[in-house]
Amino acid sequence: MNVMHMPQMKPRAAETKEKGTIEVQLRKSVQDSQQILALRGIQKLENTTIKDLADGIVRYAYSSRASDVHVEPEEAFIVIRYRIDGILHDVLMLPKAVHAMLITRVKVLSELRTDAHLEAQDGRFRMVFDDMPVDVRVSITPTYHGENIVMRLLVGQAKSLALHELGMSEKDLRTVESSLHKSYGMILATGPTGSGKTTTLYSILQVLNTRQRSIITIEDPIEYAMAGVTQIPVNVRTNLTFAQGLRSIVRQDPNIIMVGEIRDQETAGIAVNAAMTGHLLLSTLHTNDAAVTLPRLLDMGIEPFLIASTVNVAIGQRLVRKLCTACATKRVLTAVERNSLKDVLPADMLTKNTLFAEPVGCKECNNTGYSGRIGIYEVMEITEQIRHMIMQRENADAIRKAAVLGGMTTMVMDGVRKAADGMTSIAEVLRVIQE
């Protein structure tokens, strides 16, 4: 990996001790982080204080549209990495001497213990850039070479996407909206970490949030503040877990409950019981797709008849990078590409769609070909046929096939349609699905 060295600065002795003069070196990624980030003015950090360095790292992450900042210690230096549109990019390499001071600064901002170096800590702080509040969620974990920091940037905390802005097809949107009219049951968003599940649930809450309803959530952590909704943060130190919090919530007379994540059998059992007793319950599960949701609940010890009678909709999702509108182009798929897709797509999709979008790269997108992200979805409504299959303990493959025959659009199909419409590329869809 190539490293571009900044010119050596002559430190002033007093400032070196008191303010911690820092030599900053820009690291250029083997891929394209230099082009993506450009890091307007970051060279000015070559002679700065720890306070300004910490603030600058977050500021340039914000201006570069990064969702996460990783501060990773190695033996002789520390590396700053930004996650932009789901891809991690190396940005800065700093001397190891800076590490302890930078850790301390982040801990002070997050109101964490500065004397604890061998335990994991979580916190948060807020900064304001361009009159926009940016909430930063902090996770610090001890590693072999020192403490590792991951900071997640939550921009404009009080604003979440409207349901129609998520990128669902009209058909999927109608299916989700029809499930919101039910006064009980479960709506589950599924997918791996970072696939936008919480954003989907908040978008649904926006629709449900009226003064005639009581909505209570338990989350770890609270990612968006929503007026009119009672939000409870998980706190393991006081034994306020998802399960314990959910027990308390059902005694608070709610109409709608949101559980940040169903992680274990206890939480799953309480959630199912709540959904059976007149509550509409929203939650997330870590599964590969919508069909795996049902066997996953079986694995958690939930009886088939309870799953069949409570789950209304399972939403599988991923986030794919959007093509840059200034430079994207279209081309015809090769015979090899068509042959590789025929096993995962209906034949008529490849027949109807002959041109598919692909990235090029220009100055508008810093030569990446992409800018921003959009969701690809599969919305599985629990029909009578699928309920019968759950009762028979059918596997995920059988349930998925039945759902597709019943009209469900899979995530791959939704992604390919978006590629045909010029929103993303087939390569990006397959990359995300196969990760």
Side-chain angles (χ1 to χ4, degrees), residues 86-131:
I87 306 295
L88 271 173
H89 301 276
D90 292 349
V91 178
L92 290 167
M93 185 173 69
L94 302 172
K96 190 62 178 283
V98 173
H99 184 228
M101 294 183 287
L102 186 56
I103 291 283
T104 299
R105 175 60 185 168
V106 173
K107 285 181 176 179
V108 169
L109 286 171
S110 309
E111 298 182 350
L112 300 176
R113 288 182 56 190
T114 58
D115 60 340
H117 305 289
L118 300 177
E119 64 183 55
Q121 297 191 74
D122 296 313
R124 64 193 305 151
F125 61 89
R126 171 174 285 195
M127 291 185 170
V128 178
F129 303 127
D130 303 326
D131 297 324

Side-chain angles (χ1 to χ4, degrees), residues 9 33 95-96 108 131 133 188 199 205-206 235 242-243 308 314 325-326 406:
M9 304 296 295
S33 64
K96 190 62 178 283
V108 169
D131 297 324
L188 300 175
T199 299
L205 284 184
Q206 280 195 68
N235 189 337
F242 279 120
T325 56

Side-chain angles (χ1 to χ4, degrees), residues 162-182:
L163 191 57
H164 67 273
E165 295 175 324
L166 294 178
M168 290 185 187
S169 66
E170 290 185 11
K171 175 178 173 293
D172 287 344
L173 193 58
R174 286 195 302 269
T175 301
V176 173
E177 288 175 337
S178 67
S179 70
L180 304 186
H181 297 298
K182 298 180 180 179

